[in-house]
Amino acid sequence: HERPESDSPSWLEVRPAYNSTQHRFSDAIELLETASVELDIQPTLRLEAAELYVEAAIRDVTRGRSVATVAAGTLYIATKGAGRPRTLRRVADAVSVERTALSQVVGTLYTELADANKIERSISEPEEYLEPLCSDLGLPADVTDRSEDLLQNARRKTVFDGKHPAGMAAAAIYL
């Protein structure tokens, strides 16, 4: 992945790496920066993902796994934890990793980091996906508002248990 065009120096230019651990961390930071720009993720969530990556490295979750997959996993968890989730597929595509590999790493990260009380596993609501999906599609704010109304009306009449929240959000946008 290429870094976004900017006047700011790369992480390696700011902080040179002298060993393999530092190189892996620098690579992870670069990936988080690039993916955050592509996925329109604010800097505070990028920082949260970097902190999760450090915690994962301390707990040896990174051992034997690609930097890109673990970095993508921490970004996925950070956005979901903040109530601004991106789908696994979108995160995987932004970092150029397989969705299934990302899904496995996310599960491992949840297990390892939840044991350390660093994160909690949460269930996303369909409404949390509306803004990112509408933004990706270039749709106006009124579409998001109408879709949210549809979801609220549907929630009163049916149960969403077992339904994928991003799929429910996509259906509301389509309607």
Side-chain angles (χ1 to χ4, degrees):
H1 253 283
E2 290 183 25
R3 279 182 0 102
E5 295 281 329
S6 74
D7 294 331
S8 63
S10 75
W11 179 255
L12 279 174
E13 292 167 342
V14 173
R15 176 103 170 113
Y18 299 105
N19 62 41
S20 64
T21 301
Q22 290 175 347
H23 275 287
R24 289 174 62 85
F25 180 72
S26 294
D27 290 347
I29 296 298
E30 291 282 335
L31 282 165
L32 289 171
E33 288 177 3
T34 303
S36 293
V37 169
E38 184 173 330
L39 296 170
D40 192 29
I41 295 170
Q42 58 265 44
T44 54
L45 292 180
R46 185 182 322 155
L47 179 60
E48 173 73 19
E51 290 171 355
L52 289 173
Y53 186 90
V54 169
E55 192 62 37
I58 290 169
R59 300 192 174 287
D60 262 352
V61 176
T62 56
R63 185 180 304 275
R65 294 179 175 89
S66 79
V67 171
T69 306
V70 177
T74 62
L75 193 59
Y76 174 82
I77 289 170
T79 59
K80 186 173 180 184
R84 311 228 349 113
R86 304 304 192 270
T87 63
L88 275 172
R89 181 166 314 286
R90 283 281 286 129
V91 175
D93 289 348
V95 183
S96 299
V97 297
E98 292 292 323
R99 191 196 63 77
T100 53
L102 176 57
S103 178
Q104 291 170 347
V105 166
V106 165
T108 302
L109 286 167
Y110 270 123
T111 300
E112 294 295 324
L113 299 180
D115 286 349
N117 294 321
K118 300 297 178 187
I119 58 171
E120 287 183 25
R121 192 171 271 223
S122 62
I123 298 172
S124 295
E125 296 294 332
E127 291 84 355
E128 295 172 356
Y129 288 92
L130 288 175
E131 190 176 320
L133 286 173
C134 286
S135 175
D136 287 349
L137 296 169
L139 299 173
D142 67 310
V143 173
T144 305
D145 296 339
R146 285 192 314 242
S147 299
E148 191 165 353
D149 290 342
L150 273 171
L151 287 171
Q152 289 172 358
N153 289 334
R155 189 178 306 282
R156 284 191 282 267
K157 296 176 183 177
T158 187
V159 177
F160 287 175
D161 292 347
K163 306 294 184 225
H164 194 286
M168 296 297 294
I173 291 168
Y174 178 77
L175 294 173

